[in-house]
Amino acid sequence: MTTPTHFYSSHKCNVSISSVTATTHYYYVMRYGVPQGSVLCPILFLLYTADLVKLVKSYGLSVHLYADSTQIYSVRHHHSTSYGYTCQLVLSTLPTGCHQTNRLQLNVNKTEFLWCTSARRQSQLPASPFRVCRDHVTASTVVRDLGISLDSDVSMRSQVTRTVSHCFGILRQLRSIRRSQSHSVFQSLVAALVLMKLGFGNAGLAGILPFQVDSLKAVMNAAARLVFQSSRHDHITPLLYRLHWLHAPE
């Protein structure tokens, strides 16, 4: 165990301050945390976050960890004052508890809070901010979780809008190089840059409204027509069949 101990206890941090005349370097010994760029870092980081899961679950909430991101969530069939107080208590004690155990610090600038309910009950949600450390965090209407945009009314409207906008932007860029690429190469580019983005997180789009499905369908149809350089008035089913692509609802 001598090598791992030396690994995480002897690394330094370099801070460089540049000016017109010279550059000054400051070196500090890092007493806490783990360095980046090594296969041991994920294992050592788990040791720091092990107590975080126990702390959150002690309040009756669920937690999901992904790298250095932490999602705390819970499901309630109706809003109650006690549940809001529990969330407030967790957000206020979490930074202190983590700092005392493993010296973890909560990044308030990246902390987001989201109430999820139906569109009819949006007015019933509490509007008061939660205190986190010395700052206050107001509930957001849209948050991003692992690259997927979640709306407070669980409509996935922001995710669909963002996906469609990005895909059409990529198609406009691909159109400029269509004549300089072979058919097979261009088809691979469309599949890698458009279809992969269109299918990312599509499991969360189950049950979306028909007009949102039509927006995603328009992206796929435009991509197929761009591959074959066909007119917008041509029937799309034979093109999708030749590309072995499924329709958007499928």
Side-chain angles (χ1 to χ4, degrees), residues 206-217:
I208 59 176
L209 298 177
F211 78 91
Q212 294 175 323
V213 178
D214 293 339
S215 299
L216 299 175
K217 183 179 179 180

Side-chain angles (χ1 to χ4, degrees), residues 165-216:
S165 177
H166 285 190
C167 289
F168 275 120
I170 295 174
L171 289 176
R172 285 192 293 268
Q173 296 178 359
L174 291 176
R175 187 182 299 274
S176 61
I177 63 171
R178 176 65 186 91
R179 296 182 179 180
S180 61
Q181 302 294 329
S182 63
H183 177 79
S184 59
V185 172
F186 192 78
Q187 180 179 343
S188 300
L189 288 174
V190 173
L193 300 178
V194 179
L195 290 188
M196 292 296 293
K197 184 175 291 293
L198 194 65
F200 177 75
N202 56 3
L205 301 179
I208 59 176
L209 298 177
F211 78 91
Q212 294 175 323
V213 178
D214 293 339
S215 299
L216 299 175

